[in-house]
Each structure stands twice: as structure tokens, then as C-alpha cells.
Amino acid sequence: MIILIRNTICSNVLIIEHLNEQSNIYSKDSEMSLNRTNNIKQLAEDELDVLILGGGINGAVAAASLAAKGVKVGLIDKGDFAGATSSNSSNLAWGGIKYLESHEYSLVNKLCKSRNNLMRHYPSSVTEVRFLTTIQKGFRFPVWFVFMGTLAYWFFGRLFTMAPKYLTRNAIKKLEPSIKITGAQAGFEYSDAFLKDNDSRFVFNFITAAAKKSAIVANYVESVNAVRENGQWVIQAKDNTNNQTFTIKAKTLINACGPLVDQVNKGTKQKTSHHHLFSKGVHLTVDRISNDHRVLAFFASDGRLFFVLPMGTKTCIGTTDNQVESHQTAVTDEDRQFILDNANALLELDKPLTKADIIAERCGVRPLAIEAEEGVADWVALSRKHAIDVNKADKHISIFGGKLTDCINVGEEIAEIVKSLSIAMPKSNSIWYGEPADSVKEKFMSAIAEFNIDKLTPKGAIEPLSSRFWRRYGEDAFNLLEAIKQNPEKANLALEHTEFTWAEIDWVAEHEMIVNLDDLLRRRSKATLVIRKKDLDNAKGLEAVSERLFGENAQQKVAEFRSTKDFNRV
């Protein structure tokens, strides 16, 4: 018995020492790189090789790529990271099957390769999902012809996913009872990829990766004015949390401002070969329609793709696709009715969906890159490919368009361009993307098994703590595990209706640059996308979470959150 106790104690000591070692390494990096106040001070003091304007997917991967390759890089965003287009997508990483119709085979080949790359390097976050597509009678192409397109798509995807499968009407109904087969010809299944968390969380993890490689990042910092002086960019910046201004100096400036690229370029007097057109996309969240984790794909009444998407315990439906003149747009009654009407026409539900069934909604614009000399373009036919314009004399780079699927290519291309501008890149061959090595994950899962932390998973959670922690926090999950080991109450649910534990809230408070509750509940997680506003406003633990995040400003932050009329964000 004495020997057994001694061995058990020794085993636990070794595990704790391992976790402490991991915790010290990862916490040190994070504290050095993800403290907002310190980063703003450092931005004002240091001369950068590159400053990136915009913390959406394009800016995030540019920062992660450059920082890993040894470039001294900074990134600022006038709002929160992934605050606009990059937090309003369909949460898909897809190879662009619809571009087969416009014969953009090179683009489809590139996007399929990029999708496979994401799935290969982010297996916990980007996973294969089956699309069940129903073709209605009178569709512009025969079903067999469209199915042949899915086979071609599978080959463009290098057979990386499950093979497409042709489905009769009865087979569709058997697989998915919620589909209305009246008026349907037939259909098929094929595969693409899906983000298990939300798009903005995926973007933020690139921000984290950049910060851990010494990138200096800060949200809610705006470039008020930027001029080229004496061979460098001088940027007048403003901290939007307190209106204090300071100066940032950088050899190279990258405009990754998404929908605002043209506006920012006008301010810096940059002439570019491309500019943007805008397409508005709206998604509505309702209670779960399908019990299976698959995407239901249709062609809406206007002939464009329409999705019924899984979102945790809820369902997301949409999207719209309307050209708009400005990036400043919002959900309209017409948008809502279009989505509800199409859902009701295509689905066999216990009762028709109405506005009262909408849990949350989101609206964003897709910036579509167009060459300047094209003038007026057929915006419907424009693909979501990216374009990068370079002013070598000014060392200025503008990123137009783009998709989350293609983000790794954007990061690699930006690194090559920056290198061509004579910016030193001492680690040019560094791999900057992907989840931690399998050996690190194995150590984490081994530690989880030793401590049996999953038994502490809060009641009602849709997955165990181990997989959730690893997917969302990567190597930093060691710190959460250690916090729970030291105090098992840290595994308790912090905020009603969500899955946040107190260990996570403690970590987020110190390391994720949360400025307001919307940062936490809309962009670091998808809480506001799947939980009704009134439920979150009155959720047990909201004040306590706010106090942990904001201290003496907690009540003000709660009041601001509750005063928000809806979750529409642009």
C-alpha cells in the first residue's frame, strides 16, 4: 500500500511538473504578446518592418506568416479582430463548386487545394461535412449533368473527401425527412469543409499565432492618418477606447481593411489596379431543423445557392446575395422574408418559420475584387478570389477580396511580396500555419486522461472539455488544464446558456484582448449567434463574468451589452 501511494504521488508530481513547464512556456509568450496596453506602448516605441491595417482573415494570416518568418510586424484594427466580413461568413471552407458553372477551373482547382490544406493542418477545427443538394424540377440543368459536376469537383479536390453520391427523391427523403421533395427531381451528396467553431474564432487563432511569434497586435486602434516620409510610413493612430493618439512608424504598410480597402487607400493617396464591389449576405439562426450534421443545399427562388447549415444546437439559414453600394448595411424585412420564404418552400416543417422563430441574425458584405478598368461589372458573376496590388516605390500593399478557404495562400503570397520589397526575412522557410504537433496533442490528451478532467464537463455541454479546449486554445489548453487541476471549481460553468468554464474566462480575461462583452460572446465564441438576446441579457453569471473581465467597469459593460438592440454587425 505504501509503495502504491508513493508511486501515485510521484506520478502526479511528474504530471504537474510537465503542466507547469508547458504553462510557463505558453503563458510567458502570451503575456509578452497579447497584453493590449503593453502592445500599444510598444507600437508607439518601436520601428516596424511592416504595419498591417485590418485584423480580418487577410490581415491575420499576413501577420502570422510574416511574424513566423522573422519580420518585425504590427497589426491594428479600428474595432475588434474579425469584426466585419470575417465574422459574417457561412462558416464554410469550400472549394468553390459554383465556379464550375462559370468555367473558372483554375480557381476551383486552387480553392480545392486550399480547402484540403486547411483540413490537413487544422483537423480539429476544419472538418469534412456532407452537402445534401436537392434539384427542383425546371432547374436550368438536368440533374445528371449537375451530378457529373460534383464528380468533376471531387477530382479537382484530389479525391481528398468522400465521393459524391446520386440520390433519388425517395433516398433524399429517407436521409433527411425535413426536405420537401414535392417538385424535386433528384439530388446528390458531396463533401466540403466546415468550421466547428465560428469564423471569427478561426481568425483570432491566427492573431494569437502571430502574437506568439512576436507580432505586436492591438484591437480598437485606428489609423487616423498615414503618410510616407523619409523612406518610411508615419501613421497617426488613435486608441478608440480612450481617444488617445500616438505615432507608429513602419517601413512597409499593408492595407488589409476588407470592405474599407478603397476608402483607406484614398486617404493614403494610393492608386490601385483593383477596387471593390459589395455583395450583402444575411444569415438567420433558428432552432435546429435537422438532427444530422450535414448542410442542406438548394437553389433559392432567384437561382442562387441557399443553405441550411448546422450551428451547434441550432440551425443557420441563408444567405442572401444582393449588390449594395456601401459596406454599411443592415438586415431588412425584405432579407428576412426572402430567407424565411425559401426555407418554408424547400423544407417540410411542423409549422412554417416566422420572424418570431429568429434567434439571431447577422449581416455582412463580401468585398468582390474587380479590376479598375472593367468599370461596371456583372457582380453576380464575380468570383470571391483575392487580388494583391503593390506600390513598390511606397512599399505599400493592398489586399482585395478573398475567402477564408484561401487564407494560407494569402499569407504565403504576402510574405513573398514583402521579401521582394527588401525587408529582411531571416526565417523565410518557417511554417507558420497548422495546429500544434501531434506529439504536443498526445501529451495533452495523456494529461487529460491522467486527471480525468472530462468528468467535470459542465452538464448540457455538447462535447467534452478536452476536445473543446484543444480546438479553441491549442497549446494554451495546458494552462486551462492546470488551472482546473489546482481548483476543480474552475471547470464549473461561468455563464448560463454558454459553454464557458471559469478556467476559460480567467484565460480570456488575461490573454484575448476583450474590450467589451460583444468581443467575448460574438467573436471569440458564437454565443450571440445561437442564444436569444433576452436569454443572454438575463443569463446567470453575466455580471460575475463581466467583473472578472473588466473589474470596476463591469456594470457599465453589462449595460452596454444589454442596450444593443440586435446582433446585426457590419
Side-chain angles (χ1 to χ4, degrees):
M1 177 66 71
I2 293 174
I3 294 174
L4 177 62
I5 293 172
R6 184 184 64 188
N7 288 343
T8 301
I9 292 172
C10 289
S11 175
N12 285 340
V13 167
L14 287 173
I15 293 169
I16 291 172
E17 286 178 350
H18 167 73
L19 287 174
N20 284 337
E21 178 184 352
Q22 299 294 338
S23 178
N24 289 337
I25 293 171
Y26 303 134
S27 295
K28 182 179 179 182
D29 285 347
S30 299
E31 287 174 357
M32 288 170 57
S33 305
L34 278 169
N35 182 294
R36 186 174 178 276
T37 301
N38 290 346
N39 282 11
I40 290 175
K41 181 180 179 182
Q42 195 173 353
L43 285 169
E45 293 176 349
D46 294 359
E47 181 177 327
L48 304 171
D49 291 327
V50 177
L51 177 67
I52 300 168
L53 306 181
I57 187 60
N58 288 338
V61 295
S65 174
L66 293 172
K69 295 175 186 295
V71 176
K72 192 168 187 179
V73 60
L75 180 148
I76 59 174
D77 194 296
K78 73 173 187 176
D80 192 23
F81 306 118
T85 298
S86 293
S87 58
N88 287 295
S89 77
S90 297
N91 287 349
L92 298 174
W94 65 310
I97 190 171
K98 73 174 185 176
Y99 303 138
L100 291 175
E101 186 176 350
S102 55
H103 308 293
E104 295 182 81
Y105 304 123
S106 177
L107 177 61
V108 174
N109 180 63
K110 182 180 180 182
L111 289 177
C112 282
K113 185 178 180 181
S114 299
R115 177 204 65 193
N116 295 351
N117 215 17
L118 286 179
M119 293 172 69
R120 187 179 294 113
H121 291 284
Y122 295 94
S124 300
S125 301
V126 185
T127 59
E128 181 173 354
V129 66
R130 293 296 270 177
F131 281 63
L132 198 167
T133 304
T134 305
I135 304 297
Q136 303 296 318
K137 293 176 181 177
F139 187 64
R140 57 185 179 269
F141 297 115
V143 179
W144 67 265
F145 185 76
V146 183
F147 179 66
M148 292 299 292
T150 67
L151 291 172
Y153 188 60
W154 185 46
F155 278 97
F156 274 114
R158 296 146 180 87
L159 314 185
F160 190 75
T161 61
M162 293 172 61
K165 183 179 180 180
Y166 186 88
L167 300 171
T168 65
R169 288 175 31 159
N170 290 337
I172 292 173
K173 193 65 176 176
K174 186 176 180 180
L175 274 175
E176 187 49 69
S178 65
I179 294 178
K180 188 181 294 184
I181 61 172
T182 305
Q185 297 183 63
F188 44 82
E189 275 191 322
Y190 71 95
S191 291
D192 255 314
F194 183 78
L195 300 183
K196 294 192 72 171
D197 283 309
N198 50 322
D199 46 8
S200 52
R201 182 74 206 186
F202 191 68
V203 171
F204 182 74
N205 285 343
F206 280 111
I207 297 287
T208 300
K212 287 184 176 181
K213 295 295 184 181
S214 299
I216 311 169
V217 302
N219 53 354
Y220 295 95
V221 173
E222 181 176 2
S223 170
V224 178
N225 185 48
V227 295
R228 186 79 177 168
E229 293 180 353
N230 301 320
Q232 66 178 354
W233 284 95
V234 179
I235 300 95
Q236 298 303 315
K238 181 178 72 169
D239 182 346
N240 285 331
T241 68
N242 55 24
N243 291 323
Q244 292 185 1
T245 60
F246 59 98
T247 300
I248 305 173
K249 295 181 180 181
K251 298 173 185 176
T252 306
L253 189 65
I254 297 179
N255 179 356
C257 293
L260 293 174
V261 165
D262 294 317
Q263 181 178 317
V264 171
N265 278 341
K266 189 177 293 185
T268 53
K269 298 182 172 65
Q270 293 295 311
K271 293 183 179 180
T272 58
S273 300
H274 294 84
H275 65 88
H276 276 146
L277 292 181
F278 301 128
S279 168
K280 182 174 78 168
V282 174
H283 296 84
L284 307 180
T285 305
V286 298
D287 283 327
R288 179 183 284 173
I289 290 173
S290 172
N291 290 324
D292 289 317
H293 185 81
R294 63 163 60 93
V295 176
L296 308 184
F298 307 91
F299 288 90
S301 56
D302 61 0
R304 278 167 275 170
L305 281 170
F306 184 84
F307 298 122
V308 177
L309 301 143
M311 182 173 276
T313 59
K314 306 298 178 182
T315 293
C316 176
I317 53 177
T319 175
T320 61
D321 195 4
N322 308 108
Q323 186 177 18
V324 290
E325 295 299 319
S326 170
H327 69 283
Q328 294 180 319
T329 187
V331 182
T332 66
D333 286 337
E334 183 180 1
D335 296 326
R336 296 185 188 96
Q337 203 58 52
F338 171 83
I339 294 175
L340 293 173
D341 286 347
N342 275 278
N344 289 328
L346 297 165
L347 299 171
E348 194 166 296
L349 306 170
D350 293 336
K351 60 178 183 176
L353 292 171
T354 68
K355 291 180 182 178
D357 295 307
I358 299 173
I359 294 170
E361 56 190 27
R362 64 190 191 275
C363 173
V365 294
R366 308 172 186 91
L368 309 178
I370 176 176
E371 291 191 37
E373 60 266 22
E374 288 185 35
V376 179
D378 180 2
W379 68 277
V380 175
L382 286 174
S383 64
R384 277 49 172 169
K385 61 186 176 183
H386 69 271
I388 301 175
D389 287 356
V390 184
N391 181 335
K392 289 189 175 182
D394 285 352
K395 290 191 176 181
H396 185 281
I397 301 169
S398 302
I399 309 176
F400 296 88
K403 292 174 62 64
L404 185 147
T405 308
D406 207 25
C407 64
I408 292 178
N409 285 332
V410 171
E412 291 288 355
E413 290 173 32
I414 288 296
E416 288 300 315
I417 292 170
V418 167
K419 187 176 181 180
S420 73
L421 297 177
S422 301
I423 299 297
M425 199 167 290
K427 303 176 183 177
S428 59
N429 294 323
S430 292
I431 301 298
W432 55 274
Y433 52 85
E435 294 181 6
D438 288 343
S439 59
V440 179
K441 183 176 181 179
E442 288 170 5
K443 289 179 181 178
F444 176 71
M445 292 305 175
S446 176
I448 284 284
E450 289 284 349
F451 293 145
N452 198 14
I453 294 298
D454 282 343
K455 71 179 181 181
L456 301 176
T457 300
K459 185 178 180 180
I462 61 176
E463 64 179 322
L465 289 178
S466 56
S467 59
R468 184 168 180 273
F469 282 3
W470 179 257
R471 186 182 68 254
R472 290 176 59 83
Y473 306 99
E475 295 168 328
D476 294 326
F478 282 101
N479 294 294
L480 304 184
L481 180 55
E482 174 62 10
I484 293 172
K485 172 61 181 175
Q486 297 294 335
N487 180 3
E489 291 187 359
K490 294 291 184 180
N492 291 345
L493 190 68
L495 180 59
E496 186 184 17
H497 306 302
T498 75
E499 292 189 88
F500 277 117
T501 62
W502 276 110
E504 291 174 271
I505 295 299
D506 286 345
W507 178 262
V508 166
E510 299 298 328
H511 303 288
E512 294 200 355
M513 291 192 179
I514 303 297
V515 173
N516 56 59
L517 283 169
D518 211 46
D519 298 339
L520 173 71
L521 300 175
R522 174 64 178 85
R523 287 172 290 278
R524 304 297 182 273
S525 70
K526 58 176 179 278
T528 64
L529 299 179
V530 296
I531 303 168
R532 290 187 180 275
K533 179 174 175 10
K534 65 178 181 180
D535 291 334
L536 271 178
D537 283 351
N538 300 300
K540 182 180 178 180
L542 185 64
E543 286 83 0
V545 167
S546 186
E547 184 174 353
R548 177 64 186 89
L549 294 171
F550 310 115
E552 61 184 18
N553 296 319
Q555 288 303 316
Q556 174 192 341
K557 297 295 184 179
V558 170
E560 290 174 356
F561 179 74
R562 287 173 173 164
S563 67
T564 305
K565 293 182 180 179
D566 58 40
F567 294 123
N568 176 29
R569 292 289 184 268
V570 180

